[in-house]
Amino acid sequence: MHKRTAHRWRLTAIMVVGTFFAFGTFWLVQLAQNGDTSVDPNSFKNEPDYIVEQFSFVRMTPEGKPRYLVSGAKLTHRPVDDTSDVELPVLQGVAPGQPITTITSQRARIRHAQNQADLIGDVNVVRPESPGNRAMRLKTEALTVFTDEDRMTSDQPVQVTLGTATITGTGMEANNATRELRFASRGQIVYPPKAARAAPPITGKPQ
């Protein structure tokens, strides 16, 4: 009697477990067919695939020469759109025959497929003086750099110091290859007095 009762209990337990799995499978099939948005299979695809701190890398030209150097405090890469978010980025153009131009900002998003970098927050561009080129400094809050085209654009207020002149305006496009600088809106150019421009630099300490 006890053996028959124990057998029935085991049989009942097996049927309950089987029914549970059957309903679970049915629910998964219905979920897949109905496209239930509560479970998004792509929700984890844009998670970072790698994070690098205190990094630097060099982008080369097709001829195998260095084109620009990118470094920063932290780089987070996302594989879905092939972009990298960078904290405290430093972008340096090191093309042969060109003065080294250094760009810094608070953060940046690098779009690798488009060879484009969007810099945001306290953006500074510095190009030293060189034969045939006056020293340049550019300040703005947002700047897009097209690295392969040697071109920069901004839709924000921009201040450019070129030699001794200061240019301000909103919306700018600069082409380093052709040395062209254009403003979308009417800008303002300030030249210092001729005496200030002609005066020799002061060296040494006052007596």
Side-chain angles (χ1 to χ4, degrees):
M1 182 67 179
H2 291 290
K3 290 184 179 181
R4 184 176 299 176
T5 302
H7 176 73
R8 288 179 179 177
W9 274 109
R10 285 197 298 271
L11 181 60
T12 302
I14 293 172
M15 292 177 63
V16 169
V17 173
T19 303
F20 172 79
F21 279 111
F23 274 106
T25 304
F26 175 78
W27 178 78
L28 289 174
V29 171
Q30 291 297 312
L31 184 65
Q33 291 178 347
N34 296 335
D36 192 338
T37 58
S38 63
V39 180
D40 184 3
N42 297 318
S43 60
F44 300 104
K45 285 188 176 180
N46 206 33
E47 290 296 311
D49 56 349
Y50 61 84
I51 298 174
V52 185
E53 295 185 353
Q54 302 300 327
F55 73 95
S56 65
F57 66 84
V58 179
R59 171 85 177 190
M60 310 298 288
T61 66
E63 294 78 24
K65 297 179 180 180
R67 188 176 188 88
Y68 62 87
L69 170 68
V70 180
S71 60
K74 182 179 179 180
L75 180 146
T76 303
H77 181 263
R78 290 180 168 80
V80 170
D81 52 5
D82 192 20
T83 61
S84 294
D85 292 325
V86 182
E87 297 178 10
L88 300 178
V90 179
L91 177 64
Q92 289 184 301
V94 292
Q98 299 287 342
I100 296 178
T101 301
T102 302
I103 307 175
T104 60
S105 66
Q106 292 299 308
R107 60 188 186 279
R109 172 161 290 182
I110 300 176
R111 307 177 190 276
H112 298 277
Q114 292 80 22
N115 295 317
Q116 173 183 331
D118 300 322
L119 298 106
I120 302 172
D122 193 22
V123 183
N124 282 272
V125 182
V126 178
R127 187 189 69 197
E129 185 177 3
S130 63
N133 293 286
R134 289 175 288 176
M136 184 199 75
R137 178 160 190 168
L138 183 151
K139 299 179 68 176
T140 186
E141 285 301 312
L143 185 72
T144 297
V145 180
F146 301 92
T147 53
D148 282 2
E149 301 174 30
D150 211 5
R151 184 168 59 90
M152 302 180 293
T153 64
S154 176
D155 59 0
Q156 300 294 310
V158 178
Q159 181 185 75
V160 179
T161 301
L162 190 60
T164 57
T166 300
I167 309 168
T168 56
T170 300
M172 177 218 68
E173 181 171 349
N175 191 317
N176 194 42
T178 61
R179 300 294 188 271
E180 292 180 317
L181 180 64
R182 298 180 180 179
F183 285 90
S185 66
R186 181 174 295 179
Q188 181 180 19
I189 302 176
V190 178
Y191 283 98
K194 288 185 177 181
R197 283 182 281 168
I202 299 175
T203 60
K205 296 182 180 180
Q207 300 296 325

